[in-house]
Amino acid sequence: MKRWAGPLIFGIVCAGAAHGAVLQFAPSMIMDVAMEKIADRGAQLHRFQVGPRTTPETQTVVRPSPDLAYSACLFDLSQAPEGLRVSLAATPGYASLSFFDARTNNFLTIRGGGTDREIILLSPNEGRGEPGTAVAPTMTGVILTRRLAPTQADFDQMSRIAALDRCDAI
């Protein structure tokens, strides 16, 4: 039995190290792939782009809702040292503005509530946290808007409204 103790302990240590490595590096790798796919669809830095209506053929991420119209803005706060002014245009019905860091964490979500919403996104180095601002935990990430659009007519209307959203360097 003592012959197996060393290899067994070694195997457990290796499995623990592999598990830790996956937990440490997988989120960043997943977000890198997601941001690359969004960019491949023509998204520009600090600009919202309305995505196509969700169908099995247009899915780039796992399980997006076919009842929602999505827009995405890639951000890199190293290229916007004063921050980003992010606004969600007033939308009848459900709308939200969600912020994701470089490790896939949703660090802020703002509901539309039928009125215009605006926030200033600051880099982790700024850390001011004043009213109307949010501090991103990482320098890069993705901002998503979601609007209820169960039919093609609704999707067309939400796309027109989404064109009024802003994600601009200050």
Side-chain angles (χ1 to χ4, degrees):
M1 183 69 168
K2 288 184 179 181
R3 288 190 308 189
W4 292 98
L8 183 60
I9 291 171
F10 179 74
I12 291 171
V13 169
C14 287
H19 177 71
V22 167
L23 291 177
Q24 178 65 30
F25 298 110
S28 296
M29 291 171 57
I30 291 167
M31 186 56 96
D32 287 345
V33 169
M35 290 176 71
E36 193 173 297
K37 286 184 178 188
I38 292 168
D40 287 347
R41 286 199 159 173
Q44 298 176 3
L45 197 61
H46 307 154
R47 296 281 178 258
F48 275 111
Q49 179 188 28
V50 178
R53 188 156 187 230
T54 301
T55 66
E57 294 77 30
T58 62
Q59 285 183 236
T60 57
V61 297
V62 178
R63 296 190 184 265
S65 174
D67 290 343
L68 294 176
Y70 295 90
S71 295
C73 172
L74 301 173
F75 70 85
D76 182 348
L77 294 167
S78 69
Q79 296 188 30
E82 299 297 317
L84 292 176
R85 184 178 312 279
V86 182
S87 63
L88 177 72
T91 305
Y94 173 80
S96 69
L97 184 61
S98 298
F99 297 76
F100 296 87
D101 70 12
R103 297 186 45 81
T104 71
N105 298 307
N106 175 217
F107 64 92
L108 178 64
T109 298
I110 300 169
R111 294 284 304 263
T115 61
D116 292 333
R117 302 289 184 183
E118 183 175 281
I119 192 160
I120 305 297
L121 183 64
L122 302 170
S123 77
N125 305 329
E126 290 297 315
R128 291 193 302 237
E130 298 168 1
T133 68
V135 178
T138 60
M139 295 297 280
T140 61
V142 176
I143 304 167
L144 290 180
T145 67
R146 299 179 187 112
R147 290 179 168 90
L148 186 61
T151 67
Q152 184 64 49
D154 292 331
F155 182 84
D156 295 341
Q157 178 189 14
M158 293 304 122
S159 294
R160 287 189 294 275
I161 293 171
L164 303 173
D165 296 339
R166 294 289 171 254
C167 179
D168 301 316
I170 297 174

